Amino acid sequence: QVQLVESGGGLVQAGGSLRLSCAASGSIFSIDAMGWYRQAPGKQRELVAMITSGGSTNYADSVKGRFTISRDNAKNTVYLQMNSLKPEDTDVYYCAAKGVQHAISVFTDFWGQGTRVTVSS
């Protein structure tokens, strides 16, 4: 299985920056795509950004031009650089990873416990 450990959340003023990190650990899965989601109480969880093992990226329209996702495959770590933060970015951010058991062609999604980002005005 895979365990995802997130860090980097906190309190920042509007216009500031934060960098989220998520480290994946596991023995039997190969990590394919990794990404970040966010969810506020009473709201649906939405994709913020994702990155494939080949480096292709995709972003929610609301964060394009402000957030950058990257990964270090050697460390099984994904990052989310968040610049020009807005109060509406306030949320709990969850790391996600798709693990693959190649021998049996099984794909499994893994989730972190979340890290809170609060942007003050």
Side-chain angles (χ1 to χ4, degrees):
Q1 60 181 331
V2 174
Q3 182 179 7
L4 303 178
V5 180
E6 302 140 322
S7 63
L11 174 65
V12 66
Q13 287 188 267
S17 298
L18 286 172
R19 192 189 195 198
L20 306 184
S21 298
C22 173
S25 61
S27 298
I28 66 173
F29 288 95
S30 296
I31 302 300
D32 189 15
M34 301 185 74
W36 291 92
Y37 292 73
R38 63 187 181 186
Q39 185 175 27
K43 302 290 182 64
Q44 292 184 332
R45 184 172 296 186
E46 66 172 348
L47 176 68
V48 178
M50 66 177 180
I51 184 168
T52 69
S53 60
S56 297
T57 59
N58 193 31
Y59 298 91
D61 289 340
S62 60
V63 306
K64 286 182 178 178
R66 300 188 297 120
F67 292 8
T68 302
I69 189 170
S70 62
R71 66 190 291 171
D72 185 337
N73 290 328
K75 297 181 179 180
N76 287 324
T77 300
V78 63
Y79 306 93
L80 186 67
Q81 179 67 46
M82 304 185 293
N83 298 326
S84 302
L85 283 162
K86 305 175 181 179
E88 49 263 45
D89 295 319
T90 295
D91 231 326
V92 176
Y93 286 71
Y94 298 88
C95 179
K98 184 178 296 294
V100 182
Q101 294 177 267
H102 292 290
I104 58 175
S105 298
V106 170
F107 294 80
T108 304
D109 293 330
F110 299 93
W111 295 90
Q113 293 184 327
T115 184
R116 185 176 298 277
V117 171
T118 303
V119 184
S120 65
S121 59

